[in-house]
Amino acid sequence: FRDISRLLLDKSKESKTVLAIEAKEIVGLNGTPSIELELSTINGSFRSHISDVHNNNNYENDFGRSIIATHVQYFNDGLTNEIIGKCILEQDRIDDYLCNKPDVLTPLVTASSLLCCQAGARANCMCTFEHIALLAGNSNIKLPLPCFEVYTTHI
């Protein structure tokens, strides 16, 4: 019985661990570069698309390399190793680590935090809004109806 309970405990820890996280540079239909972030756990993969990273039209640095590619490489080379293996339920530790890195783009920090939140919600078998309320210490969970999202478009 102890071996089975130990195996189940190991599986439950494994299901709450970040297995992989990767940033990718993608090009939109209008030719502007943007970032896609993908986080993988044993419970599935979670993706976030970050558009409009830079508001100006200068997407290249002095060496002809995409600024976005530079940030993606910095994130993949320097930060992913620190996030892989972390428990997704320790949202505050992951957020503190990312927020204390000055060279990380703010949208990358926000997207990776949101992906950890979504993965944590799936690991706890609850909706994302319930998981956010749990993280905030709010026991009185109410989702206003109708809910809506605001989408912005740039033409």
Side-chain angles (χ1 to χ4, degrees), residues 18 20-24 35-41 44-49 75-76 80 111-112 115:
V18 176
I21 186 167
E22 181 182 15
K24 302 170 192 164
I35 299 173
E36 181 181 72
L37 197 61
E38 182 175 4
L39 182 136
S40 299
T41 67
S45 293
F46 305 88
R47 287 187 180 168
S48 179
H49 176 250
F75 186 86
N76 287 337
T80 55
S112 55
L115 290 177

Side-chain angles (χ1 to χ4, degrees), residues 7-8 14 16 28 30 41 47 55-56 61 72 75 86-87 99 113 135 143:
L7 179 65
L8 290 175
E14 200 175 277
K16 296 176 174 114
N30 58 357
T41 67
R47 287 187 180 168
N55 291 331
N56 58 9
N61 60 14
V72 165
F75 186 86
K86 294 238 188 286
C87 179
C99 288
S113 178
L135 290 173
L143 188 64

Side-chain angles (χ1 to χ4, degrees), residues 75-93:
F75 186 86
N76 287 337
D77 292 346
L79 302 179
T80 55
N81 292 333
E82 296 295 326
I83 299 171
I84 293 173
K86 294 238 188 286
C87 179
I88 52 178
L89 299 179
E90 296 175 345
Q91 183 86 35
D92 55 344
R93 292 180 69 196

Side-chain angles (χ1 to χ4, degrees), residues 9 29 31 53 68 77 84 86 95 98 104 132 142 150:
L9 183 63
L29 293 174
V53 177
I68 306 260
D77 292 346
I84 293 173
K86 294 238 188 286
D95 290 346
L98 289 172
V104 180
I132 291 171
K142 288 186 179 179
V150 176

Side-chain angles (χ1 to χ4, degrees), residues 61-77:
N61 60 14
D62 294 336
F63 306 107
R65 184 155 187 235
S66 167
I67 293 171
I68 306 260
T70 305
H71 286 290
V72 165
Q73 183 179 359
Y74 174 73
F75 186 86
N76 287 337
D77 292 346

Side-chain angles (χ1 to χ4, degrees), residues 3-17 42:
D3 292 337
I4 294 172
S5 64
R6 186 176 299 124
L7 179 65
L8 290 175
L9 183 63
D10 289 343
K11 283 289 184 191
S12 69
K13 286 181 183 176
E14 200 175 277
S15 70
K16 296 176 174 114
T17 303
I42 212 164

Side-chain angles (χ1 to χ4, degrees), residues 86-141:
K86 294 238 188 286
C87 179
I88 52 178
L89 299 179
E90 296 175 345
Q91 183 86 35
D92 55 344
R93 292 180 69 196
I94 294 172
D95 290 346
D96 287 344
Y97 172 75
L98 289 172
C99 288
N100 289 327
K101 297 293 181 186
D103 295 334
V104 180
L105 287 173
T106 304
L108 268 173
V109 172
T110 305
S112 55
S113 178
L114 182 60
L115 290 177
C116 288
C117 185
Q118 290 172 345
R122 171 119 13 119
N124 282 338
C125 299
M126 58 177 57
C127 295
T128 304
F129 75 91
E130 292 172 320
H131 184 67
I132 291 171
L134 180 71
L135 290 173
N138 185 359
S139 60
N140 187 13
I141 303 169

